[in-house]
Amino acid sequence: MNGPLARRRVLGAVAALGGAALLAPLEGVARAAESTGARWPTQFPLPNGFQPEGITIGKSPSACFGSIANGDIYRASLATGRGRVISQGGGAAHPVIGLKIDRRERLLFLSGGASREIRVADVRSGKLLKTFTVGSDSTFVNDVILTPGAAWFTDSFAPQIYRLPLDRHGEPGDAVTTVPLTGDWQQGPSFTANGIERTPDRSALLLVNAFAGGGGLMRVDPRTGVAGGVDIGDTKLPNGDGLLLLGRTLYVVQQQQNAIDVLRLNESGTRGTAIARITDPRFKIPTTAAAWGDRIYLPNARFDAEPTPDTTYDAVAVDQV
């Protein structure tokens, strides 16, 4: 999530209701049989009034979505488009902005936006297992990525990221560490850090910086927090939101532009070349992306529409480049 409109929407709802190891190799993206996947829907509804923001897909063909409205988690079958709420949220003061499912499809790691919360939930029972409160009054916990030794979370209003350690079984620790962002990091007056990924060689993190240079990418050493700008040529990412890395191809969701900019990175993630821009008339301010088979799935956040309990929302799928 980024931009003044998105910030007002999430913060308004809240106000009204008062040293790391090398990063994980890309988990194998499970692929559906072409004869089956071709018949799967490329657009399906989400619950009315849901206000989706994040999406995550694990090894099985289903997607989990987080709700800004009340923190619910909705899981939908990619084969049918049908789904249900698998975890009840804590209300408007406890939204879900970003989320990731672990490789065993057992745990969900949740970013709580202006609630300042980092949460861990059980996928099967929906039970909230752990909650951590981080940052300061201005903190906005935005997005999350999982690595072998940690879950990493961005803070959109402060030059820092958060590290929740994971043991060798993927179990979360009992404390979150704050890692200041230094080096070339530039903090803007509003939303700055947003989506997070890792470099193709798994040695560093990639963060959207919506402020520096008119919007771009930063490469961050997870051991030190030192950031360096990624050379992406003339490409600007002022509305950059979710990041999705497949091999060396990085998909950057540019929500307000209703587009996905596609970059080809070098192994270390220090340079990237624009190779495509995906647009689609079905895009209604998509925010984040996840992959299954040869498709990319995105929730339409509709930040340009005033949300009501009856506002309709959906998810769409487009082909990978």
Side-chain angles (χ1 to χ4, degrees), residues 135-136 138-140 152-162 177-194 207-209 211 218 220-221 224-227:
S136 63
S138 63
T139 289
F140 191 96
W152 295 90
F153 299 80
T154 58
D155 186 333
S156 292
F157 291 123
Q160 58 198 25
I161 54 178
Y162 304 107
T177 302
T178 300
V179 179
L181 296 173
T182 60
D184 295 333
W185 186 265
Q186 298 178 43
Q187 187 68 28
S190 184
F191 266 70
T192 302
N194 205 324
L207 274 67
V208 170
N209 186 306
F211 173 74
M218 290 280 178
V220 176
D221 185 332
T224 64
V226 174

Side-chain angles (χ1 to χ4, degrees), residues 162-174:
Y162 304 107
R163 181 181 185 270
L164 173 60
L166 306 176
D167 67 18
R168 63 190 183 92
H169 302 293
E171 293 291 336
D174 294 323

Side-chain angles (χ1 to χ4, degrees), residues 40-279:
W40 291 3
T42 59
Q43 186 171 13
F44 52 84
L46 302 176
N48 286 1
F50 190 75
Q51 297 182 51
E53 159 67 11
I55 181 176
T56 184
I57 298 174
K59 295 186 295 183
S60 62
S62 61
C64 291
F65 301 87
S67 170
I68 295 174
N70 56 20
D72 284 357
I73 305 298
Y74 181 83
R75 193 171 194 177
S77 164
L78 301 181
T80 66
R82 295 190 294 270
R84 64 183 180 89
V85 172
I86 62 168
S87 179
Q88 297 285 340
H94 304 277
V96 171
I97 307 301
L99 72 168
K100 284 293 184 294
I101 193 168
D102 72 345
R103 62 183 179 180
R104 299 180 183 180
E105 296 195 324
R106 189 172 53 87
L107 299 176
L108 279 168
F109 294 79
L110 312 174
S111 301
S115 72
R116 301 169 49 194
E117 293 172 346
I118 287 171
R119 308 181 207 117
V120 183
D122 183 274
V123 174
R124 293 193 179 97
S125 69
K127 181 181 178 181
L128 198 61
L129 303 176
K130 291 191 175 185
T131 300
F132 307 90
T133 302
V134 297
S136 63
D137 289 345
S138 63
T139 289
F140 191 96
V141 187
N142 199 322
D143 206 355
V144 54
I145 189 70
L146 303 182
T147 72
W152 295 90
F153 299 80
T154 58
D155 186 333
S156 292
F157 291 123
Q160 58 198 25
I161 54 178
Y162 304 107
R163 181 181 185 270
L164 173 60
L166 306 176
D167 67 18
R168 63 190 183 92
H169 302 293
E171 293 291 336
D174 294 323
V176 174
T177 302
T178 300
V179 179
L181 296 173
T182 60
D184 295 333
W185 186 265
Q186 298 178 43
Q187 187 68 28
S190 184
F191 266 70
T192 302
N194 205 324
I196 184 170
E197 256 289 359
R198 65 275 188 244
T199 56
D201 67 2
R202 307 176 299 279
S203 66
L205 298 168
L206 294 171
L207 274 67
V208 170
N209 186 306
F211 173 74
L217 292 174
M218 290 280 178
R219 182 184 185 275
V220 176
D221 185 332
R223 294 164 296 184
T224 64
V226 174
V230 178
D231 181 1
I232 56 175
D234 295 331
T235 302
K236 301 295 182 184
L237 307 173
N239 305 125
D241 198 330
L243 298 180
L244 172 65
L245 183 74
L246 300 177
R248 285 172 50 195
T249 303
L250 182 69
Y251 295 82
V252 185
V253 184
Q254 292 249 58
Q255 45 148 288
Q256 299 287 341
Q257 299 180 30
N258 286 315
I260 307 169
D261 281 316
V262 187
L263 306 173
R264 181 72 169 172
L265 301 179
N266 63 356
E267 283 295 325
S268 61
T270 58
R271 295 191 311 276
T273 302
I275 59 173
R277 167 168 270 215
I278 302 172
T279 60

